[in-house]
Amino acid sequence: MTAKELKAQLRNERLSARDAIPAEKRASKSLAMADHAGEAVGFALDTIVSGFLPIRSEADLRPLMARFAVRGARLCVPAILDRQTIVFRELAEGAPLIDTGFGTVGPSADAAILDPEIMLVPLSAFDARGHRIGYGAGHYDRAISRLRQKGLHPKLIGIAFDCQEVAHVPDEPHDISLDAILTESGLRFFASWIG
């Protein structure tokens, strides 16, 4: 089995496990994530933090993002421009959300496009080394690569439930590792910058 095939298998298995979590349990697990990371992630005033608004069975980051906003973070969320590209539009308080495609909602096209300094990254599976498997489209990998080409190095915090952990993610040269992972059990660090 190739690395790509194994990733696809792990992705399907872990997303099925996530889908099996009842909605009320996902909500309580999401609140636990906010409690674990709401104060633990260190950043300066006006730091740009990208989160995401939940689709399907993803964790609901709105409570965590609200805590970051109270601490002075400037928030943004991904907007899918096409099959290859996402940008991060500012999530301003009170601004209307619109359908942004692929089941997502977010700010309209007139919202400011920001370059995140901290990214809360959705994923399908992760391992204890900080390697992740995304959803398969490569949007985040390309977005992170574009930011790095601009000389920026966003800190990456993977967002998942405990059931999405696997023993080993087959990593390939183009894969980008996480700096931390946040689950309902806590915030695990793979880099020393957080806190």
Side-chain angles (χ1 to χ4, degrees), residues 23-80:
E24 64 277 0
K25 286 199 181 283
R26 279 199 311 272
S28 65
K29 290 172 186 286
S30 297
L31 289 172
M33 290 178 178
D35 288 341
H36 293 307
E39 303 301 323
V41 175
F43 56 82
L45 190 65
D46 290 327
T47 295
I48 300 171
V49 178
S50 72
F52 54 89
L53 301 173
I55 59 171
R56 298 184 296 273
S57 59
E58 288 178 338
D60 185 349
L61 292 184
R62 289 173 292 189
L64 177 59
M65 294 189 319
R67 286 194 187 193
F68 286 172
V70 167
R71 291 178 50 209
R74 196 169 169 196
L75 301 176
C76 57
V77 292
I80 300 169

Side-chain angles (χ1 to χ4, degrees), residues 97-109:
L97 300 178
I98 64 164
D99 179 3
T100 52
F102 299 94
T104 64
V105 296
S108 65

Side-chain angles (χ1 to χ4, degrees), residues 77-123:
V77 292
I80 300 169
L81 298 185
D82 56 45
R83 292 200 173 275
Q84 298 292 313
T85 313
I86 59 173
V87 295
F88 297 90
R89 291 187 180 145
E90 186 164 20
L91 185 63
E93 188 174 347
L97 300 178
I98 64 164
D99 179 3
T100 52
F102 299 94
T104 64
V105 296
S108 65
D110 60 351
I113 293 177
L114 304 177
D115 290 334
E117 298 166 82
I118 298 174
M119 298 175 74
L120 306 177
V121 182
L123 53 88

